[in-house]
Amino acid sequence: MQNISLSDLHKQIKMHLECLRISGIEWLENNNNCTSQTSVPIVNDHLPLVSMAGTQNVVVASPAPVIPSLHSLEKKTLLLQQLKDEVASCVKCPQLAQTRKNTVFGIGKIEPDICFVGEAPGITEDEKGIPFVGEDGLLLDKILKACGLSRDEVYFLNIISCKPPDKRLPLPTEVTNCRGFLEKQLALVKPKVICCLGSCAAENLLDTKIPTNKLRGKFYDWKGIQVLCTYHPLYLIRNPEKKKEVWEDMKFLISHLGRMLPTP
Ligand code: SF4
């Protein structure tokens, strides 16, 4: 188990509680006393006190009662920046931490219609610290434009935040290490639909071994967010005949969101 200072632990607990609050969980069940349970609110500037010293005062997330939250996009922006800073100093995957030039955190609109989830940063992403800015990103930009969308209207992120060396796939341990960052980011960004690009994203987000060609055409659920799967733009560069299928998927997604495709 990783050693962690009390102040870091406190920061992580605060961020976790804030993510819960932003996700709509406004109250926590307080199991402080074995014979009675009470609920304590998570409020903006005063999170419930969690004991650092032992198992007493442990608070457990409870889905009810839920009170409508009044959090702002500014607050989410701040929390995402804190998470980005945490990712930037992360060394949980020693090989990736040694070989990366930059960590690559997600970018785009908060609470967008679509969040695209890819596999891992490539060479250009690693150099610039921005997701989907390589050859695949250029193709994705064209797909977005054909759908009447711009980069500013969607969110992009990858399953892991550091480039694996030698163009290899992320290892299961690396995916597991980065899972918390991915989930917290998605909870804060809260897209209407997640679009998994390629099998690595779909396998790891949906915990499935079903290939992309079989996952396409239907919506799945990930923690209350709808998920659609299609091919990764890099796969399209190597297999241009698959572009037609991605276009079908995008038309399906745009229509599902109640949006119109631009007139040619
Ligand atoms: S991939 Fe994620 S968990 Fe691994 S070192 Fe990078 S930021 Fe940390």
Side-chain angles (χ1 to χ4, degrees):
M1 198 169 154
Q2 204 184 348
N3 281 333
I4 186 164
S5 70
L6 274 182
S7 78
D8 282 348
L9 181 60
H10 189 235
K11 259 196 265 170
Q12 285 185 16
I13 290 171
K14 276 191 84 167
M15 184 175 288
H16 178 66
L17 290 170
E18 191 56 26
C19 285
L20 287 175
R21 194 180 65 76
I22 280 164
S23 307
I25 297 173
E26 298 284 336
W27 289 74
L28 295 176
E29 202 168 277
N30 186 359
N31 289 328
N32 185 22
N33 182 329
C34 294
T35 57
S36 70
Q37 290 190 344
T38 54
S39 292
V40 289
I42 307 175
V43 292
N44 273 350
D45 299 306
H46 182 72
L47 298 170
L49 187 64
V50 179
S51 168
M52 304 289 174
T55 54
Q56 288 189 337
N57 292 334
V58 171
V59 288
V60 179
S62 169
V66 174
I67 292 174
S69 56
L70 296 172
H71 53 266
S72 62
L73 288 180
E74 287 79 9
K75 184 95 182 177
K76 285 190 171 193
T77 304
L78 186 70
L79 288 166
L80 280 167
Q81 184 57 51
Q82 284 175 359
L83 193 59
K84 185 176 180 179
D85 294 344
E86 208 185 316
V87 167
S89 59
C90 176
V91 291
K92 283 190 225 168
C93 314
Q95 189 190 24
L96 305 193
Q98 273 170 16
T99 54
R100 74 187 178 210
K101 287 185 181 157
N102 288 294
T103 51
V104 180
F105 196 73
I107 193 167
K109 185 183 175 186
I110 296 170
E111 296 181 9
D113 277 358
I114 312 170
C115 171
F116 291 97
V117 179
E119 177 182 303
I123 293 171
T124 317
E125 286 81 10
D126 181 52
E127 277 165 5
K128 298 190 175 174
I130 303 170
F132 289 101
V133 286
E135 208 182 354
D136 51 346
L138 291 177
L139 180 53
L140 191 53
D141 285 346
K142 285 185 187 166
I143 295 170
L144 289 178
K145 193 172 173 196
C147 294
L149 290 162
S150 71
R151 274 198 164 240
D152 300 342
E153 292 175 82
V154 297
Y155 197 88
F156 303 96
L157 79 167
N158 284 303
I159 289 287
I160 65 168
S161 301
C162 300
K163 180 181 87 61
D166 307 320
K167 296 187 178 175
R168 70 159 167 78
L169 285 170
L171 302 175
T173 49
E174 292 163 353
V175 172
T176 304
N177 289 344
C178 220
R179 184 82 183 188
F181 295 137
L182 174 75
E183 296 200 357
K184 282 179 191 168
Q185 210 172 159
L186 285 171
L188 287 165
V189 171
K190 212 175 178 182
K192 280 189 191 148
V193 175
I194 293 170
C195 182
C196 284
L197 299 172
S199 57
C200 176
E203 271 178 28
N204 288 298
L205 197 72
L206 298 176
D207 193 21
T208 179
K209 291 285 175 205
I210 299 172
T212 303
N213 63 337
K214 297 262 177 19
L215 289 171
R216 293 178 53 243
K218 293 191 261 200
F219 284 97
Y220 302 87
D221 177 78
W222 184 81
K223 296 182 188 258
I225 303 175
Q226 293 178 311
V227 180
L228 189 72
C229 303
T230 191
Y231 298 112
H232 194 284
L234 270 184
Y235 180 77
L236 295 185
I237 291 167
R238 291 192 295 267
N239 302 274
E241 74 280 2
K242 294 287 180 189
K243 284 183 183 173
K244 190 164 167 268
E245 289 171 45
V246 170
W247 182 230
E248 292 301 323
D249 295 336
M250 293 310 295
K251 283 196 291 187
F252 178 48
L253 176 53
I254 293 297
S255 139
H256 178 77
L257 288 166
R259 299 178 69 113
M260 300 289 286
L261 287 171
T263 44

